[in-house]
């Protein structure tokens, strides 16, 4: 009997992806875009037939269901699944190469959201497919974080776990059957999928009520929950909902700061109250302090051009900073319509390096956000504070409690190791991009955008938007590798390359 728990992860994901192609086919058919409808419908049917046959053939075989093998399947999904997802997209667009379609699908599935196509070049069905793939990638990250990364103490869980990264120990995850990762995946999907779908539908309805068109509202809803930043119109700054739509999206971006905002199944710290969660508190502090500092900077500059008394412009400047800071901290990458309007008030341009820094810090552990993660930043902060305390009081004792000591000592060490690996990876990829033809600044921005899975940085942080479609094939291959590496993180790849991890 064929069951989901006995189906290999990659085959199961391919089957779900094939079935999901029916949605853009239906949209294209309703809009009488028959070529797009045929492209998605035929690809979906063929994919369903093939994955069903392969699943039946594999169902009677005994598979290695160790957690590292499932992690390898997750890596294969991010590399191989986009090739299947690119088939209908390539056929529908018609005026692009398959490599471009593949890069677009990797960008969507990893929730990076960088695009090679201008919005007006794609049809409604093609825009929906990009947003839908990004949304499915976000759900995949939610589920795999709880079912695969938490037991292996990866993805940020190594900061609070009692074991070494990559070892199959309970890292504060829900105590389900740890002997079969497939069962954990199924259990996590049953718990998290309804929450994910419900939040997306709620945001979609709220954006519709605010005045957005159905496709725009749905795309922005899926992009917000998955932190992919994919938009058919270039972002909420050009949406009909205006500031009301930005405020609605702003509230839902907080789900990327801490897993405790939507689930407590993988909490790694003592206590489950959101008000006590260090990730959420640190993210909230950054979102409040940074825009306030930017507001003060622009307000001082406004005296030179005589606009310091324009209260409306000042408030819009503050809102633009709040929304954009939270958006890039969560690695979504949406910009407020008032982010660029600040220049009209103060005459100053906000440096893009601020957005780079926010994306590098990233969101919460086991969320769809990328970056270093706030829990690792918090661990380094605790270690730094403790070292400064010892300079004043060398014989003082640190905070009591097993968890506090764990974060301050072993957790801080592992966080520092990860941060150094992340910095080295940025240096290596920046050098490779520079050798492929990009100048230093664009190479750095492209690298950070890929490794933090925050593709909109390419438009927002660079002095001029970086044309990904004009890069050579080697540079596009590097971009794909950086996006996948950023999604699974460096420690996850090291686990796969370490033979000791494969033992039970």
């Amino acid at each position: 009997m064929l069951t989901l728990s006995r189906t290999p992860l990659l085959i199961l994901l391919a089957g779900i992806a094939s079935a999901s192609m029916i949605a853009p086919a239906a949209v294209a058919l309703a809009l009488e875009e028959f070529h797009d409808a045929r492209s998605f419908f035929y690809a979906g049917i063929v994919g369903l037939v093939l994955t069903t046959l392969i699943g039946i053939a594999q169902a009677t075989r005994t598979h290695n269901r160790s957690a590292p093998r499932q992690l390898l399947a997750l890596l294969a999904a991010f590399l191989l699944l986009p090739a299947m997802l690119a088939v209908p997209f390539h056929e529908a667009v018609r005026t692009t190469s398959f490599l471009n379609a593949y890069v677009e699908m990797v960008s969507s599935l990893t929730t990076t959201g960088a695009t090679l196509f201008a919005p007006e070049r794609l049809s409604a069905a093609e825009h929906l497919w990009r947003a839908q793939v990004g949304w499915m990638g976000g759900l995949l990250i939610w589920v795999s974080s709880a079912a695969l990364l938490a037991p292996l103490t990866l993805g940020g869980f190594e900061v609070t776990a009692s074991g070494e990264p990559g070892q199959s120990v309970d890292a504060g995850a829900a105590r389900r059957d740890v002997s079969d990762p497939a069962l954990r995946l199924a259990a996590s999907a049953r718990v998290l999928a309804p929450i994910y779908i419900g939040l997306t539908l709620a945001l979609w309805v709220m954006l519709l009520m605010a005045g957005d068109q159905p496709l725009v509202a749905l795309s922005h809803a899926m992009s917000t929950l998955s932190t992919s930043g994919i938009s058919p119109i270039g972002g909420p700054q050009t949406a009909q909902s205006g500031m009301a739509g930005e405020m609605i999206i702003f509230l839902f971006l907080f789900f990327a700061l801490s897993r405790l905002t939507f689930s407590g199944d993988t909490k790694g710290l003592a206590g489950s109250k959101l008000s006590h969660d260090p990730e959420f508190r640190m993210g909230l502090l950054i979102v409040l302090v940074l825009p306030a500092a930017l507001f003060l900077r622009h307000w001082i500059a406004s005296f030179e051009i005589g606009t310091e008394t324009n209260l409306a412009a000042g408030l819009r400047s503050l809102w633009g900073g709040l929304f954009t800071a939270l958006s890039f901290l969560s690695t979504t990458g949406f910009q407020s319509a008032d982010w660029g309007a600040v220049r009209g008030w103060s005459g100053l341009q906000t440096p893009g390096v601020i957005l780079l820094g926010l994306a590098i810090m990233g969101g919460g552990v086991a969320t769809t956000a990328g970056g270093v993660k706030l829990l690792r930043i918090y661990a380094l902060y605790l270690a730094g504070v403790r070292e400064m305390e010892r300079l004043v009081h060398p014989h003082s004792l640190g905070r009591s409690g097993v968890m506090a000591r764990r974060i301050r000592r072993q957790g801080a060490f592992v966080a520092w190791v990860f941060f150094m690996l992340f910095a080295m990876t940025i240096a290596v990829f920046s050098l490779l991009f520079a050798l492929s033809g990009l100048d230093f600044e664009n190479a750095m921005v492209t690298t950070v955008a890929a490794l933090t899975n925050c593709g909109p940085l390419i438009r927002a942080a660079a002095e001029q938007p970086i044309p990904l479609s004009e890069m050579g094939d080697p540079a596009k291959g590097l971009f794909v590798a950086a996006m996948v590496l950023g999604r699974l993180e460096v420690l996850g790849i090291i686990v796969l390359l370490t033979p000791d991890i494969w033992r039970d």
Side-chain angles (χ1 to χ4, degrees):
M1 180 178 178
L2 179 63
T3 61
L4 293 181
S5 62
R6 295 179 62 87
T7 305
L9 177 61
L10 186 58
I11 301 302
L12 179 61
L13 293 177
I16 295 174
S18 299
S20 65
M21 295 177 187
I22 304 301
V27 170
L29 183 62
L31 296 176
E32 298 185 353
E33 296 172 349
F34 300 113
H35 175 79
D36 284 6
R38 289 192 297 269
S39 299
F40 284 101
F41 181 75
Y42 292 160
I45 295 300
V46 172
L48 275 176
V49 171
L50 291 178
T51 53
T52 300
L53 293 177
I54 296 174
I56 293 174
Q58 293 288 322
T60 57
R61 298 185 58 184
T62 301
H63 302 282
N64 185 338
R65 296 195 175 278
S66 64
R69 185 57 64 91
Q70 296 292 325
L71 184 61
L72 181 61
L74 186 62
L75 173 62
F78 284 120
L79 288 174
L80 302 180
L81 193 59
M84 186 188 75
L85 301 174
V87 170
F89 185 82
H90 173 257
E91 180 64 23
V93 175
R94 288 183 285 187
T95 57
T96 189
S97 65
F98 186 80
L99 176 60
N100 286 346
Y102 174 75
V103 174
E104 190 78 15
M105 290 299 101
V106 173
S107 176
S108 298
L109 188 63
T110 58
T111 72
T112 302
T115 181
L116 286 73
F117 304 92
E120 60 274 9
R121 184 178 174 184
L122 303 180
S123 66
E126 293 156 7
H127 278 301
L128 177 61
W129 182 236
R130 291 177 58 241
Q132 189 175 329
V133 171
W135 184 80
M136 292 187 295
L139 179 58
L140 177 61
I141 293 301
W142 263 26
V143 173
S144 61
S145 295
L148 300 180
L149 300 184
L152 284 174
T153 64
L154 294 172
F157 292 104
E158 71 278 357
V159 174
T160 57
S162 57
E164 298 299 327
Q167 299 299 325
S168 297
V169 298
D170 183 16
R175 287 177 172 81
R176 294 185 290 269
D177 182 11
V178 298
S179 62
D180 191 348
L183 296 180
R184 289 200 304 271
L185 284 168
S188 297
R190 285 195 298 268
V191 173
L192 296 176
I195 299 174
Y196 193 73
I197 296 172
L199 290 174
T200 305
L201 291 176
L203 179 55
W204 181 33
V205 172
M206 294 173 72
L207 290 177
L208 284 174
M209 296 174 63
D212 279 343
Q213 296 296 320
L215 174 63
V216 174
L218 182 58
S219 298
H220 287 175
M222 292 191 291
S223 300
T224 300
L225 267 299
S226 64
T227 67
S228 65
I230 296 173
S231 172
I233 57 174
Q237 68 268 28
T238 58
Q240 295 181 359
S241 57
M243 184 178 288
E246 289 184 5
M247 290 182 176
I248 295 171
I249 292 175
F250 181 80
L251 296 177
F252 281 81
L253 287 175
F254 281 101
F255 288 105
L257 295 186
S258 172
R259 191 174 182 82
L260 292 183
T261 55
F262 57 85
S263 176
D265 60 344
T266 55
K267 62 181 183 294
L269 297 172
S272 58
K273 293 184 178 180
L274 185 62
S275 59
H276 297 161
D277 180 43
E279 285 190 306
F280 189 80
R281 294 170 64 181
M282 175 166 285
L284 190 62
L285 180 65
I286 294 171
V287 170
L288 293 177
V289 171
L290 180 60
L294 290 175
F295 172 80
L296 181 61
R297 173 178 179 265
H298 288 288
W299 179 64
I300 294 174
S302 68
F303 281 90
E304 297 182 4
I305 58 176
T307 59
E308 70 279 1
T309 59
N310 191 336
L311 181 60
L315 292 178
R316 295 181 72 90
S317 170
L318 181 60
W319 166 249
L322 283 170
F323 179 88
T324 307
L326 179 58
S327 179
F328 278 88
L329 182 65
S330 65
T331 67
T332 304
F334 284 148
Q335 292 185 66
S336 171
D338 297 311
W339 178 254
V342 175
R343 297 183 60 185
W345 178 51
S346 66
L348 294 179
Q349 184 175 6
T350 302
V353 69
I354 294 178
L355 303 180
L356 289 175
L358 288 171
I360 288 175
M361 285 189 286
V365 168
T367 66
T368 55
V372 174
K373 300 297 191 322
L374 291 171
L375 187 58
R376 295 188 179 107
I377 302 295
Y378 176 72
L380 294 175
Y381 162 76
L382 284 185
V385 170
R386 177 56 189 153
E387 291 303 317
M388 288 189 291
E389 289 176 352
R390 292 181 63 184
L391 290 175
V392 181
H393 304 286
H395 301 291
S396 62
L397 298 178
R399 296 183 181 182
S400 61
V402 176
M403 191 58 64
R405 290 194 298 270
R406 166 63 191 165
I407 295 179
R408 190 175 62 250
R409 294 178 182 175
Q410 296 94 331
F413 174 75
V414 176
W416 178 252
V417 170
F418 177 85
F419 189 82
M420 288 296 99
L421 289 174
F422 191 84
M424 292 172 59
T425 307
I426 290 178
V428 170
F429 273 95
S430 296
L431 177 61
L432 293 176
F433 276 118
L435 293 176
S436 67
L438 294 178
D439 59 65
F440 175 77
E441 179 183 353
N442 287 343
M444 177 67 72
V445 172
T446 304
T447 298
V448 174
L451 291 178
T452 61
N453 301 119
C454 186
L457 278 173
I458 292 176
R459 299 192 309 269
E463 185 175 351
Q464 295 292 334
I466 302 171
L468 294 178
S469 59
E470 297 178 8
M471 294 195 309
D473 292 350
K476 292 176 182 176
L478 286 174
F479 192 62
V480 167
M483 288 189 290
V484 175
L485 182 60
R487 188 73 276 179
L488 287 181
E489 297 188 346
V490 183
L491 283 179
I493 303 299
I494 292 177
V495 165
L496 290 176
L497 298 178
T498 306
D500 293 340
I501 301 302
W502 294 86
R503 67 175 185 271
D504 293 332

